[in-house]
Amino acid sequence: MTISYFPKRLALLLLLLSVTLQLQAQDKLLTMEDAIINPALQPQNLRQLQWVAGTSDFTYVRADNGNQALVRGNATSTRQQDILTLEQLNAALTAVGAEKLSSFPTLYWRDGSNFVMDVQGKILAYDLTSGRARVTMTYAEEAEHKELDPTMQRLAYTKGNDLYLAAPGEKDIAITNEENEGIVHGQAAHRSEFGITKGTFWSPTGSKLAFYRMDQSMVTDYPLVDVAPLPAQLNNIKYPMAGGKSHHVTVGVYDVDSGKTIYLQTGEPAEQYLTNITWSPDEQHIYIAVLNRDQNHLKLNRYNAQTGAFERTLFEEKQEKYVEPEHGLYFVPGKPDQFVWVSERTGFDHLYLYNTSGKQLRQLTKGNWMVTDIHGFSKKGDELYYTSTAESPLERHIYAVSLRNGKSRRLSQGSGVHSAQLSPDARYILDNYSSRETPRKIQVLSTNGKVEQTLLTAENPLTKYNLGETTIFPIKVEDGTELYARMITPPNMDKSKKYPVVVYVYGGPHVQLVTNSWLGGANLWMHLMAQKGYIVFTLDSRGSGDRGLAFEQAVFRQLGTVEMQDQLRGVAYLKSLPYVDAGRLGVHGWSFGGFMTTSLMTRHPGVFKVGVAGGPVIDWKYYEVMYTERYMDSPEQNPQGYEDANLLNHVKNLQGKLLMIHGTVDDVVVWQHSLAFLKKAVDEGILLDYFVYPGHPHNVRGKDRVHLMRKVTQYFDDNL
């Protein structure tokens, strides 16, 4: 008995020790640095994962113990090999007079053995076969907005207000020579609305370059002040405010061989929006989705790329409220007279097949869900690959649709949010996805839906941390619409106790905060707050993104009204929970979320005890033309809507504690918004707290973001 007793006792002790160690291992608390800037707590990824041009091979950068290497694999083989170390790359770079790099730069593959890099003011090419690098071209130190042509033989860039071209063995060419400081070339126009991300557009072979010419001379100067030098320096920007003068945009076309530029005859009125610029495959035409200033009438126009002449309007789209084009034309391979167009005309973004005469051949997708991304066509051009919300508004999945009959099939596997990269031969897809339970998984899919291999299954980087429970659930509003909410509860929560709540809010167009992705779309600051004993709650109200036109347009001409109703529905749900302390509710948001936070604190005083509003819109008349007039019309057209949403009219109602935060050089929501609110509070005798970040634009990033979130957290700790 003695002999058998001790092994049993030892086994029990070992079991207890194991359980104790597991509990201790999961007992770590997040620091603010962990939550904001610790990369080790983000799910592992494959850095620079991309397809190699002209192949079904992929590459990514591996970093182990300080050693970096470029790894190459094939879609159908599990064999991978290091093809280039950072040490080898640096040896090749120093041999041509370049400096050593501390990490791999972004690589652009030209073919199976050659790539180019943009480093140290040079475009360098590297040949894997020879192991040698060469400088193909240099460009000005002040260069901005750089874009390589499709052949990677030329580089367009801007310097100041002008557009330049760099090419191998040639002196840089000034495509424009603008003396008027109010006119800029080659930069994104229309405040980067309408899906615009850049200002240059190379033709398919790189023989021509289309570019925006934006005349802002009629737009009022807006002062930003740099407080770093002594004395402070004035930096005037052009900021078109709602109801005011907007800039005038035209499109130039530069011919590389002739060196000549023509301008497209886009006509009048000058205050219109030229969006989604697309070249025809033969480079003879340019298509532009032209939108009127009221943003309720779109014309898809074709122009002659040689003469600039207007040729025809293929079709028009009209909406009572607004039309918002965000995609160019996707031409079908092998059929240069056919393209796919993305439109929200039926209430949801869907795909339509057209010919270049403007005839709709068929609607390819339909349903109460959104196409969110286009990845490309099959080699034969008989299928198109896209991502959509067809399974659920909380998820994104990859599909193929037949251009012949409009039948779709799902390719991605596993619930969650998927993103895709289509291979150059259109046979394979790199599928990178996550869900609440899956930190990250990267797979190679064939375009018939078969999983060829799994490249990465990331481990949970938070296993040692004691995190609260995250739940996602719907809340219905009065018309039956389901709104998705996310709630994070404190670790080891005792439901017999009462807990304070922090509501994190955005609520504006094009943003969705609650998804079936890692952590449910939450960030680690929210989990830090839960560890401190707060319940953290987020609701995607009507007006937010990827739920269709009716869902978004519910806020039309009355920003901040329907969204608040929905947020208050979320508050009612919270108050129904026995473990929520209804007297200790806080709210925090930035930008549109700052507007919502301030709205909730002033238009519904007493609901929230504490609010922290960052970079808030206060008066929509002070915000930019394109965004504001889309959702509010102009101040002249909708005076009552602007008056109701103007938070200066509600300062006097403020109850509880409000901290307002702003960056001093914010060029998105200008500093004047919160300063005007502060001035009105002084006039009304209302007390609030205020903090600025000198030298920061709209978002506070880098190490200063740790300071920002400490400030936000302390405010809730002290007052909630």
Side-chain angles (χ1 to χ4, degrees), residues 435-493:
S435 68
R436 276 185 295 167
E437 295 77 26
T438 304
R440 187 187 309 279
K441 183 173 280 192
I442 302 177
Q443 297 178 320
V444 179
L445 308 178
S446 67
T447 47
N448 63 15
K450 177 186 174 185
V451 177
E452 297 290 341
Q453 60 178 306
T454 298
L455 301 182
L456 173 69
T457 301
E459 294 182 358
N460 182 351
L462 301 166
T463 52
K464 295 181 180 180
Y465 290 82
N466 189 16
L467 301 185
E469 181 184 10
T470 299
T471 54
I472 293 177
F473 50 90
I475 293 176
K476 284 190 177 182
V477 293
E478 64 279 353
D479 65 357
T481 301
E482 287 190 336
L483 310 176
Y484 289 99
R486 178 185 63 233
M487 186 164 68
I488 305 170
T489 52
N492 310 314
M493 186 177 74

Side-chain angles (χ1 to χ4, degrees), residues 552-564:
E552 182 179 277
Q553 290 187 343
V555 304
F556 184 63
R557 290 172 64 94
Q558 52 176 351
L559 287 179
T561 301
V562 174
E563 305 96 309
M564 277 195 297

Side-chain angles (χ1 to χ4, degrees), residues 123 257 312 380 457 586 713:
I123 303 297
D257 291 334
R312 66 178 300 167
K380 293 180 180 178
T457 301
T713 303

Side-chain angles (χ1 to χ4, degrees), residues 253-271:
V253 181
Y254 174 77
D255 186 294
V256 173
D257 291 334
S258 69
K260 294 182 179 179
T261 298
I262 58 101
Y263 284 88
L264 304 185
Q265 297 168 21
T266 48
E268 299 291 335
E271 288 195 354

Side-chain angles (χ1 to χ4, degrees), residues 390-401:
E391 298 292 325
S392 164
L394 298 173
E395 302 201 349
R396 302 290 183 273
H397 285 278
I398 307 163
Y399 300 83
V401 61

